[in-house]
Amino acid sequence: MEKPKKIVQAREISVSEFFEKNRHLLGYDNKIKALLMVVKEGCDNSLDATEEARILPDIYVKIEELEKERYKIVVRDNGPGISKKQIPKIFGKLLYGSKFHKLKQSRGQQGLGISVGVLYSQLTSGHATEIVSSTGDGKTHHYRLKIDVKRNEPKIEESAVDNGKEWHGVQVSFICEGLYREHKQSVLEYLKQTAISNPYANITFDSPTGRMEFRRGVEELPKEPKEIKPHLYGVEVGILSRMLHETKARTILTFLTSEFTRIGRLTGSEIIKKAGITYYNEKAGKEEPGFNISPRKVTDEQVANLIKAVKEVKLTRPPTDCLSPLGEDLIEKGLKKELNPEFVAAISRPPAVYRGWPFQIEVGIAYGGSIEGPKIMRLANRVPLLYQAGDCAITKSIQAIDWRRYGIESDKLPTAPVVIMIHMASVWVPFTSESKESIASYPIIIKEIKLALQECARKLSLYLSGMRKAQWQAERKSIFERYADETANAIHELTGKPADAIKENILKIVEKNIKKIELLEKREEALKNTEAQKPNGAAAEVKEETAEAGEEPPEEKAEASKKEVKENA
């Protein structure tokens, strides 16, 4: 008789338990990067909190080496603070946060960031994380906590309250394994790029090698983004089915108009008709559109038909007040403040949409001055992305540009002393992994990045062209001046006239002729600019660039915009 086979015992695991074993998925795959991730998550939280409270950020970061490969990390801010009730859950529970369900631009998305720092700290050092917080009510709350990995719940080791100190903000202290290095993917580089992309922030960094300060360059915060509802173009069958069963709306028409942005009664009615959702009207004795059917009675087949119908109906684009771009002025000031270049240009593209979610691309280019070599700065919602550059839509877009066309030396990527800063602002950045290190290569995102890069590169090209012309004129003038002495002496010997007077006349003739040459070149340039207005001129170059990036030519785009406005009206 055969022995019965062993029954496999299955059990549920918590999200904390999963990420404890798979911390590399969140970016904690080596000691140098782990140190950066802890600092990054702390700073991101501080910047988000201060901006939401409309407070100019003052952030203090300290990294102290306690022993070999063991550090104490302190991040402190002047934000609004966290209430006593929320502190344990925010720091001691994974996938707990306020950003996941809100469709507006923010740094945090998943509710993993700072709590994973706590998990990494207890995993590598065994120490609890210390949190000090006050909302400005005269009470300062102190906590020492860990995460109960089996239950994904906070485990409070100590808690206390101090009275009398008037301040507001949060200070978090971690002790964890790490390795401090100063290179292109270090904590220092992250803070420098953060200072450029957040020029309204004061950042003080006490590192193992000394103190550094990144002073704010502007005294105003960017506009505050507003929360929006989801757009139907970005909703999939499963999500729509769940929303239909969870809604408080009594009819399917009310559901469409109240749960989604930019859906009016006319558009909602058209979608329901095209989806073929009907009911039998006994009084009329016929089938009629089911505008008043309960959302919970919609079948799976009808949900799929609704999604198909959405693709056939022209919907207005989602509103863009949920975005808070830096703007060209702040980009330029940030680059000038930290890099001291000789030339800066910035471009903010009009908002676009992917999967129903609005996003906006901004590009800044800095050239020369203190810049010694090429550098690419990738940013998402003002947060620097330092790893996985090869997988990122930003890197792929830069490689797709023919930089030589703009007078910039390159080998796939630029090799000239130029810094290219690319910022994507979105309600939901499509990161390729939970570690939030690179942006997914959606065609619409790559197209927008390329168009912004080309527009910014044209500005740099004009500057470089003018600089080369000025250099050539100076060289040409120096050649004539170099031989002025010899020519004057030769004429002096032949005529007996004073050599100094002859030299002075020669230099006047040189200056006069140089000016004539410059005027002729300017006239030729003006003629070229006139030709550029024709289809075969520079306008054709722009048309060619937009075609490469997959965008309509400017005049066709303008006609399409007029048509869209008329239809919406």
Side-chain angles (χ1 to χ4, degrees):
M1 185 177 177
E2 284 187 25
K3 290 184 180 180
K5 291 183 180 178
K6 190 176 180 181
I7 298 170
V8 177
Q9 295 293 327
R11 70 177 183 89
E12 183 182 0
I13 62 165
S14 73
V15 65
S16 302
E17 204 173 352
F18 174 79
F19 282 119
E20 184 184 48
K21 290 182 179 178
N22 296 281
R23 68 189 193 201
H24 60 279
L25 296 176
L26 298 169
Y28 293 81
D29 47 359
N30 66 66
K31 292 178 182 179
I32 295 174
K33 195 174 170 186
L35 208 65
L36 166 65
M37 293 301 294
V38 173
V39 172
K40 174 182 174 294
E41 298 299 352
C43 287
D44 287 357
N45 277 17
S46 295
L47 286 166
D48 261 343
T50 48
E51 284 176 30
E52 282 184 14
R54 310 311 289 167
I55 298 169
L56 284 169
D58 283 312
I59 296 171
Y60 173 78
V61 179
K62 182 181 180 181
I63 297 180
E64 179 186 354
E65 189 170 9
L66 302 177
E67 55 186 82
K68 187 179 179 182
E69 296 188 1
R70 179 166 290 199
Y71 293 84
K72 182 178 182 180
I73 301 168
V74 179
V75 181
R76 182 172 67 241
D77 64 56
N78 63 330
I82 303 171
S83 66
K84 180 184 177 182
K85 185 180 177 181
Q86 291 290 326
I87 291 171
K89 290 182 179 178
I90 286 172
F91 292 92
K93 189 178 178 75
L94 270 66
L95 294 181
Y96 182 89
S98 60
K99 312 288 174 57
F100 186 84
H101 300 285
K102 287 184 180 179
L103 284 181
K104 74 171 185 176
Q105 181 183 328
S106 64
R107 292 172 182 80
Q109 287 186 179
Q110 303 154 337
L112 282 168
I114 199 73
S115 52
V116 176
V118 175
L119 181 64
Y120 178 76
S121 177
Q122 74 182 49
L123 185 64
T124 57
S125 72
H127 283 264
T129 298
E130 296 179 7
I131 301 111
V132 181
S133 174
S134 176
T135 57
D137 59 356
K139 294 181 179 180
T140 302
H141 300 282
H142 298 259
Y143 277 88
R144 290 186 76 252
L145 59 79
K146 292 183 177 180
I147 296 174
D148 183 338
V149 175
K150 294 286 184 184
R151 298 189 302 125
N152 188 32
E153 291 290 340
K155 188 165 63 176
I156 300 167
E157 296 199 343
E158 285 181 28
S159 66
V161 181
D162 290 341
N163 293 312
K165 190 177 179 182
E166 293 289 340
W167 75 286
H168 57 82
V170 175
Q171 177 177 300
V172 191
S173 303
F174 306 87
I175 294 175
C176 61
E177 275 189 4
L179 207 56
Y180 182 81
R181 294 286 183 270
E182 292 182 357
H183 54 71
K184 65 179 182 178
Q185 293 173 319
S186 64
V187 172
L188 179 60
E189 181 63 24
Y190 162 78
L191 292 175
K192 186 175 183 178
Q193 291 193 23
T194 299
I196 291 171
S197 58
N198 300 267
Y200 45 84
N202 263 343
I203 302 173
T204 304
F205 179 36
D206 271 336
S207 76
T209 58
R211 172 172 281 208
M212 281 150 276
E213 292 189 18
F214 302 95
R215 293 287 181 186
R216 69 170 56 97
V218 293
E219 295 292 327
E220 58 180 296
L221 290 162
K223 69 172 186 177
E224 187 177 6
K226 295 180 181 178
E227 187 178 350
I228 64 164
K229 293 173 183 175
H231 194 273
L232 257 176
Y233 274 155
V235 177
E236 290 158 330
V237 175
I239 295 171
L240 184 61
S241 179
R242 175 174 56 78
M243 289 178 73
L244 282 161
H245 285 85
E246 291 176 356
T247 185
K248 292 179 182 178
R250 294 186 177 182
T251 69
I252 188 168
L253 182 58
T254 311
F255 164 76
L256 291 174
T257 56
S258 62
E259 299 284 347
F260 299 97
T261 188
R262 298 289 173 91
I263 301 289
R265 292 187 69 82
L266 286 174
T267 308
S269 301
E270 188 180 353
I271 291 168
I272 292 167
K273 285 178 184 176
K274 284 188 177 292
I277 297 175
T278 60
Y279 81 102
Y280 184 74
N281 188 335
E282 292 181 359
K283 290 182 179 179
K286 61 178 180 179
E287 292 281 335
E288 290 187 355
F291 304 136
N292 297 321
I293 288 176
S294 169
R296 290 171 184 79
K297 291 183 178 178
V298 177
T299 64
D300 290 345
E301 185 182 349
Q302 288 173 330
V303 172
N305 289 338
L306 276 170
I307 295 295
K308 289 176 185 174
V310 167
K311 295 173 183 176
E312 297 173 14
V313 176
K314 185 173 178 59
L315 301 181
T316 309
R317 287 187 174 192
T320 54
D321 53 4
C322 54
L323 301 178
S324 177
L326 279 165
E328 295 172 12
D329 186 48
L330 280 185
I331 292 172
E332 288 184 10
K333 284 178 179 175
L335 290 169
K336 286 175 183 175
K337 178 171 74 82
E338 297 299 330
L339 300 177
N340 192 28
E342 67 180 71
F343 172 84
V344 173
I347 289 293
S348 284
R349 286 282 299 167
V353 180
Y354 84 94
R355 288 185 59 198
W357 289 325
F359 75 97
Q360 192 165 358
I361 297 296
E362 301 181 290
V363 169
I365 290 182
Y367 180 87
S370 300
I371 300 167
E372 295 178 354
K375 182 190 280 188
I376 295 167
M377 292 169 55
R378 301 174 298 124
L379 300 153
N381 288 348
R382 306 194 200 108
V383 178
L385 311 176
L386 300 183
Y387 285 86
Q388 295 184 13
D391 295 333
C392 189
I394 290 174
T395 308
K396 291 173 183 176
S397 302
I398 294 171
Q399 289 174 335
I401 301 291
D402 180 7
W403 291 99
R404 290 190 183 90
R405 173 189 284 184
Y406 305 100
I408 302 166
E409 295 173 14
S410 69
D411 179 18
K412 285 191 177 180
L413 295 172
T415 55
V418 60
V419 171
I420 300 171
M421 169 183 164
I422 300 176
H423 175 228
M424 178 179 179
S426 179
V427 297
W428 188 265
V429 180
F431 292 115
T432 57
S433 68
E434 295 89 344
S435 56
K436 299 184 289 187
E437 292 166 334
S438 65
I439 297 169
S441 300
Y442 282 90
I444 181 67
I445 293 174
I446 289 178
K447 183 190 87 171
E448 286 294 318
I449 294 171
K450 284 179 68 179
L451 288 167
L453 282 169
Q454 287 166 340
E455 193 173 346
C456 220
R458 280 197 293 275
K459 291 185 178 183
L460 176 58
S461 176
L462 288 171
Y463 171 77
L464 292 175
S465 176
M467 193 172 67
R468 290 188 188 108
K469 281 179 186 175
Q471 189 179 355
W472 164 235
Q473 295 289 15
E475 286 176 5
R476 189 157 52 181
K477 188 176 178 181
S478 70
I479 291 168
F480 287 116
E481 288 173 348
R482 199 182 306 153
Y483 294 104
D485 282 323
E486 293 179 21
T487 308
N489 289 331
I491 294 172
H492 165 69
E493 289 176 7
L494 289 169
T495 62
K497 291 183 179 181
D500 290 341
I502 294 167
K503 182 182 175 182
E504 190 178 338
N505 285 330
I506 288 170
L507 291 176
K508 282 180 181 176
I509 292 165
V510 168
E511 191 70 37
K512 188 178 178 182
N513 284 324
I514 289 289
K515 283 182 179 177
K516 279 183 180 177
I517 291 166
E518 285 178 357
L519 285 169
L520 283 168
E521 286 178 347
K522 282 181 181 177
R523 193 178 296 169
E524 285 177 13
E525 194 173 334
L527 285 168
K528 283 181 183 177
N529 287 337
T530 306
E531 287 295 316
Q533 303 305 316
K534 298 176 183 177
N536 59 347
E541 183 183 338
V542 175
K543 200 168 183 177
E544 182 187 342
E545 287 174 352
T546 54
E548 283 176 12
E551 185 172 56
E552 295 171 296
E555 64 276 8
E556 291 174 25
K557 192 175 181 181
E559 286 300 318
S561 297
K562 287 177 188 174
K563 186 179 177 185
E564 186 177 343
V565 169
K566 283 180 184 176
E567 286 178 357
N568 290 337

